[in-house]
Amino acid sequence: SPEGGSEQYPITIPHTTSVSDCIARLIMEILLFLVGYFVQLGASCILLYKIWKHKSIYGLSIDTQAAYMLAVISRCVWSMETRLVETKFAYLELLLSTVVAVSLSFMCYQFLHTAPKQSTPLLRVYVTAPVSLVLGFFFHPGDDWFSMQILVSYTMFQEAMGLLPQLWLMRKMHEVEPLTSHYVGLIVVARFIRMLFWGKMYFLGEHFLQLFFADILHTLLSADYMYLWCRKLQFGGRLIYSSSSNSV
């Protein structure tokens, strides 16, 4: 751990004989980890603009936004125990992400009447949040039963499961609105970037397989959507994600 204890944290400084190499490696680790969240922040800003402009959350899942708000609140706690706090970019990203996540959740509540259809009860946030917490309790990289690593793992699982209500809702729609499609696509891109971070950590001997698995799960669940989204970016046209159609 950063303090030399028994626990592992996603951002650590390895033992090295070169101080400059240590600092350079630390900066690269932090930046790679943060890039994914900055991409997600950009996606959330797009969605915030869409809701503000149309005064509607039609086609959006309020459970997805609530799940992401819970995840970022969790990050506000455990990020203080990592090397992320050694860079101002981390504070900036966390502050902006928290403000945007809370704003999105508030606007979803404000315009709830414009979205009469939501996901199946099994994917609502009151189900995914407890499930994510249980998964975080049993599958985390720490050595102790009760540690901050539970919150780290909870965040990853909550973010992974948080997208499911939005994907389910889009399956029930005839056509996905352009800004919504870009929002979801960028969220998946953000998780893929973080997968690169976990992969880099693995080859450096820092094994966070439980956290890596959460992002892999997230990517696999959205793989078919990403295929359609990439085709939309390449060829244009509408994005049809309904269960009865697999074409753009």
Side-chain angles (χ1 to χ4, degrees):
S1 72
E3 293 77 21
S6 61
E7 291 191 340
Q8 292 178 309
Y9 288 86
I11 304 293
T12 59
I13 293 184
H15 296 291
T16 177
T17 56
S18 172
V19 176
S20 60
D21 288 346
C22 178
I23 294 176
R25 179 175 169 181
L26 171 63
I27 293 175
M28 289 302 297
E29 290 178 6
I30 291 176
L31 289 179
L32 185 58
F33 186 79
L34 290 178
V35 163
Y37 277 117
F38 272 110
V39 172
Q40 178 174 337
L41 176 61
S44 298
C45 288
I46 291 175
L47 191 61
L48 196 62
Y49 168 76
K50 174 186 179 296
I51 298 175
W52 172 80
K53 181 180 179 180
H54 298 287
K55 301 296 186 294
S56 171
I57 60 168
Y58 178 76
L60 298 177
S61 169
I62 59 175
D63 294 285
T64 291
Q65 300 311 314
Y68 286 160
M69 182 181 68
L70 291 175
V72 77
I73 292 174
S74 175
R75 285 206 295 130
C76 289
V77 178
W78 62 258
S79 290
M80 299 300 105
E81 301 294 329
T82 71
R83 296 294 182 177
L84 289 172
V85 297
E86 297 187 7
T87 172
K88 294 180 180 179
F89 288 107
Y91 285 109
L92 177 63
E93 180 277 320
L94 194 56
L95 174 62
L96 293 177
S97 293
T98 302
V99 171
V100 172
V102 172
S103 299
L104 281 172
S105 295
F106 172 76
M107 295 185 77
C108 283
Y109 174 77
Q110 185 179 17
F111 299 113
L112 183 60
H113 62 280
T114 64
K117 190 173 187 178
Q118 290 298 320
S119 67
T120 178
L122 290 178
L123 297 179
R124 301 300 299 267
V125 68
Y126 51 73
V127 174
T128 62
V131 170
S132 298
L133 189 58
V134 171
L135 289 173
F137 180 80
F138 287 104
F139 303 101
H140 63 84
D143 296 326
D144 300 326
W145 277 104
F146 295 97
S147 72
M148 194 67 72
Q149 286 298 327
I150 294 177
L151 280 182
V152 178
S153 187
Y154 161 74
T155 301
M156 304 306 159
F157 282 111
Q158 182 67 86
E159 289 175 346
M161 301 185 71
L163 189 60
L164 294 180
Q166 184 63 57
L167 293 174
W168 186 94
L169 193 60
M170 292 190 300
R171 280 282 188 182
K172 302 302 178 180
M173 299 172 62
H174 175 67
E175 177 183 351
V176 181
E177 194 273 336
L179 287 181
T180 302
S181 71
H182 296 324
Y183 165 75
V184 176
L186 289 174
I187 290 293
V188 180
V189 169
R191 295 297 169 268
F192 180 77
I193 293 174
R194 196 165 64 195
M195 284 176 57
L196 297 179
F197 169 79
W198 298 130
K200 180 177 182 291
M201 290 294 96
Y202 181 84
F203 286 108
L204 291 175
E206 308 256 356
H207 299 162
F208 301 101
L209 297 181
Q210 300 92 333
L211 309 183
F212 196 6
F213 173 75
D215 283 338
I216 291 177
L217 177 65
H218 183 284
T219 303
L220 291 177
L221 291 173
S222 55
D224 58 340
Y225 173 83
M226 284 302 291
Y227 171 75
L228 296 176
W229 185 63
C230 290
R231 283 181 57 85
K232 172 183 169 64
L233 294 180
Q234 182 178 3
F235 301 109
R238 302 178 302 169
L239 197 157
I240 309 298
Y241 189 57
S242 65
S243 55
S244 60
S245 175
N246 289 318
S247 61
V248 178

